Amino acid sequence: MKNYILALDQGTTSSRAILFDHEGRIGGCAAQEFPQHFPRPGWVEHDANDIWTSQLAVARQVLREANVRPAQVRAIGIANQRETTVLWERATGRPVAPAIVWQDRRTADQCDALRAAGKATLIRDCTGLELDAYFSATKLAWLLENVPGARARAERGELCFGTVDSWLVFNLCGAHVTDVSNASRTMLFNIHLMRWDADLLALFDIPEAVLPEIVSSSGEIGATHASLFSSPIPVAGIAGDQQAATFGQACHQPGMVKNTYGTGCFMLMHAGSHPVVSHQRLLSTVGWRLHDGPCYLLEGSVFMGGATVQWLRDGLGIIEKSSDVEALAASVPDSGGVLLVPAFVGLGAPHWDPYARGTIVGLTRGSTAAHIARAAVEAIAYQSAELLTAMQRDAAHPVVEVRADGGAARNDLLMQFQADLLGVPVVRPRVTETTALGAAYLAGLAVHFWASKEEIAAQWQCERRFEPAMPEDRRAALLARWGRAVERSRGWDVD
C-alpha cells in the first residue's frame, strides 16, 4: 500500500486537507469555506466549532475521494491561521465565546494604554513582536474580562486557551498543546528562553493554568480519537501557517525568503539559530524547533492580501469568483492612476497602524471596475515591496530571490508586477500548497517518512521564474506614489 502524510491546513476563510506522498506530490485535496462574522466595525470572529467541523469534514473527504485508508496515513501535520484566539472548557471541549480572529482590532485601545505605560519595549525584547492587537495576548485578556465567570474558571484550570493549532489537536487527540512557532505569536512567549514569560503573564493578567504545554514543531503528540477515523493516526507536526510555508518552501538556510499570498501576505526570511533584532518594525519570530534546536525568522505581515480580492467579489460584486480578478485587471494596461490601500483592518508591518482604513485615491471620471481591480492586485504587490525594503535594511544577508506561494501566487499579472517592484526575481514552485506541504514535512520527519531536511530540500522545484523588467526610475516613482497613498489612509479611525 502507498503511504501518505495528511496535512490539515486550517486558514482564515477555509479549512483544507491535502495528502502528500513520499515525493512531495499531492495525492488528494479537499477544501471547505466557513462563515466569517463581523459583529461590530473592526471586530472579526469565527465560531470555533465551524473551524473544527469543517476541518474534520475535509480530512474525511480527502481520504474518501482519494480512496486512501487511514492505515495508509503515517501521520497528520497541522498548519493553522495564527494568533486567532480560542477559549474552551477543558472538560467538555465547548467554546465559551466566539474565537477572536487575528484581524480583529477590538483591543487596539488596550495596546495604546500599554504603549503609553512604556511596556512596548519589554514586549518587543521578550517576544520579538510589536505591541499590537494582532497578537493573542490582548484577545485572551479581553475574553477573560468579558466572558462571565471566565477569569475565575481559568484560574481554577477549567478553561483552555489556544490558538487554532491547540484547538484542533485538542479535538483530534485530547492533548492541550501548542508548538513553539504558534506560541511565539501570542505575545506571551519568551523567544530567547523558549517558554511562557512570567512577566508578560503578569502584565496581561493571564493565569498560567489556562495555557497549553509547549512542544516542538516536529514530534509525535498523540493519536486521533477512535471515533474520528476507522483507525488511529499519529498527530506529529504543528506550525503556524507562515512558518509551515517557509519550511515547505525549503527556506532552510539563512537569507532565504518566501512570501505567501493568502488572506494576508507574509514575507519571512530565515534568520538563523538566533533572533534578529529588527530596527524596521518587523517581527522576530520562531520558525520551528526540530531535534537540532530552534530556527528564527524575520517576518513582515500584510493584513489584506487575497482578502482584498474577496472584497471585490463580496463587497463590491465586480467579480463572481476570486480567480476572475486577473482577467479583469489585465483588461486595462494599468490602473489609470488609481491606488487602493486595503487598510480595512488597519496596517501591519512596517506601519503598525490599527487606525488606518481602506482608501482609494486617484479616481477620475474615466475610472472603471477594471481599474479598481488592477489597483487591488497591485496593492498586494506594493505592500509586499514595503516588507522587502524593510527586511533588506535589517538583515545581514542580501536577498537574491523571493519564493512565492499561496492562492494569489497563481496570478501571473501579480507575480510579474511583484518582481518589478521588488527588483529581484520572484520564483513560483511547482507545488504552491507550501503551507500544507510544510506541515506534512514536519510530521513526516517525526515518523521517519522523510529522513532529513536535505531530502526535503531536494524535492523543491521551480515552476516559473518572474524576472524584474521595470526601469528603476519607474519603479521608484510608483513606490513613492504608493507611499503618498498610504499616508492618506493612516490614522483615519480615531475619535
Side-chain angles (χ1 to χ4, degrees), residues 262-423:
T263 301
C265 290
F266 301 88
M267 185 175 289
L268 285 84
M269 172 187 281
H270 191 303
S273 58
H274 299 283
V276 170
V277 177
S278 174
H279 300 286
Q280 304 296 320
R281 305 194 74 189
L282 299 180
L283 309 178
S284 188
T285 196
V286 180
W288 48 82
R289 185 174 68 192
L290 307 181
H291 64 87
D292 55 354
C295 158
Y296 292 90
L297 305 173
L298 196 60
E299 175 177 336
S301 310
V302 167
F303 296 157
M304 293 290 293
T308 308
V309 176
Q310 292 175 334
W311 175 71
L312 297 181
R313 181 192 68 188
D314 302 334
L316 294 189
I318 63 175
I319 52 175
E320 290 187 7
K321 54 185 185 297
S322 294
S323 58
D324 293 340
V325 72
E326 184 173 5
L328 181 59
S331 69
V332 290
D334 53 46
S335 69
V338 177
L339 286 168
L340 189 160
V341 182
F344 299 104
V345 292
L347 289 170
H351 308 288
W352 296 108
D353 184 350
Y355 304 108
R357 287 296 177 264
T359 305
I360 301 177
V361 297
L363 291 170
T364 69
R365 285 288 299 274
S367 300
T368 66
H371 292 111
I372 294 174
R374 180 92 178 207
V377 170
E378 292 182 352
I380 299 172
Y382 278 121
Q383 293 175 100
S384 295
E386 289 184 304
L387 299 182
L388 188 69
T389 298
M391 201 165 279
Q392 288 175 317
R393 290 171 179 163
D394 267 336
H397 307 277
V399 177
V400 298
E401 67 177 25
V402 172
R403 295 184 172 185
D405 57 68
R410 300 185 187 96
N411 185 322
D412 290 350
L413 178 69
L414 170 60
M415 292 295 96
Q416 184 56 57
F417 190 68
Q418 184 70 90
D420 289 340
L421 287 183
L422 296 180

Side-chain angles (χ1 to χ4, degrees), residues 19-237:
L19 289 164
F20 291 97
D21 66 13
H22 186 263
E23 285 67 46
R25 296 176 304 209
I26 292 176
C29 179
Q32 180 179 314
E33 291 192 3
F34 60 91
Q36 310 291 300
H37 303 284
F38 311 99
R40 299 185 190 177
W43 289 31
V44 188
E45 295 180 345
H46 291 157
D47 183 330
N49 285 320
D50 288 341
I51 293 174
W52 165 239
T53 56
S54 62
Q55 190 64 78
L56 178 61
V58 293
R60 290 170 167 168
Q61 179 186 345
V62 73
L63 294 177
R64 182 175 64 252
E65 293 180 351
N67 197 27
V68 171
R69 290 180 289 177
Q72 294 174 256
V73 179
R74 292 282 304 279
I76 290 173
I78 296 170
N80 57 282
Q81 55 166 313
R82 304 173 303 171
E83 298 94 20
T84 293
T85 300
V86 189
L87 190 63
W88 68 92
E89 293 178 339
R90 190 180 300 274
T92 67
R94 182 184 66 85
V96 300
I100 303 180
V101 179
W102 58 273
Q103 297 169 318
D104 189 282
R105 311 308 297 172
R106 74 185 66 182
T107 59
D109 288 347
Q110 183 183 354
C111 292
D112 288 345
L114 288 167
R115 190 174 295 106
K119 303 301 182 181
T121 300
L122 166 68
I123 290 168
R124 188 183 304 109
D125 289 347
C126 286
T127 69
L129 307 177
E130 289 287 323
L131 172 54
D132 193 81
Y134 174 32
F135 304 107
S136 309
T138 57
K139 302 179 192 300
L140 174 56
W142 189 94
L143 288 169
L144 293 177
E145 286 300 313
N146 289 276
V147 175
R151 179 169 298 283
R153 298 187 69 192
E155 291 171 349
R156 294 195 299 267
E158 297 175 10
L159 300 184
C160 296
F161 151 73
T163 43
V164 168
D165 60 309
S166 299
W167 172 241
L168 293 179
V169 172
F170 187 89
N171 282 283
L172 284 166
C173 62
H176 183 209
V177 303
T178 190
D179 91 298
V180 292
S181 72
N182 280 291
S184 74
R185 311 298 296 188
T186 61
M187 216 155 61
L188 299 170
F189 180 78
N190 190 309
I191 63 171
H192 308 282
L193 303 176
M194 299 294 283
R195 67 189 185 204
W196 300 121
D197 190 275
D199 290 337
L200 295 176
L201 296 182
L203 178 64
F204 291 103
D205 199 13
I206 303 296
E208 191 167 2
V210 80
L211 300 176
E213 177 189 355
I214 298 166
V215 299
S216 293
S217 308
S218 181
E220 291 194 48
I221 296 162
T224 57
H225 294 304
S227 61
L228 300 180
F229 306 99
S230 60
S231 59
I233 304 171
V235 178

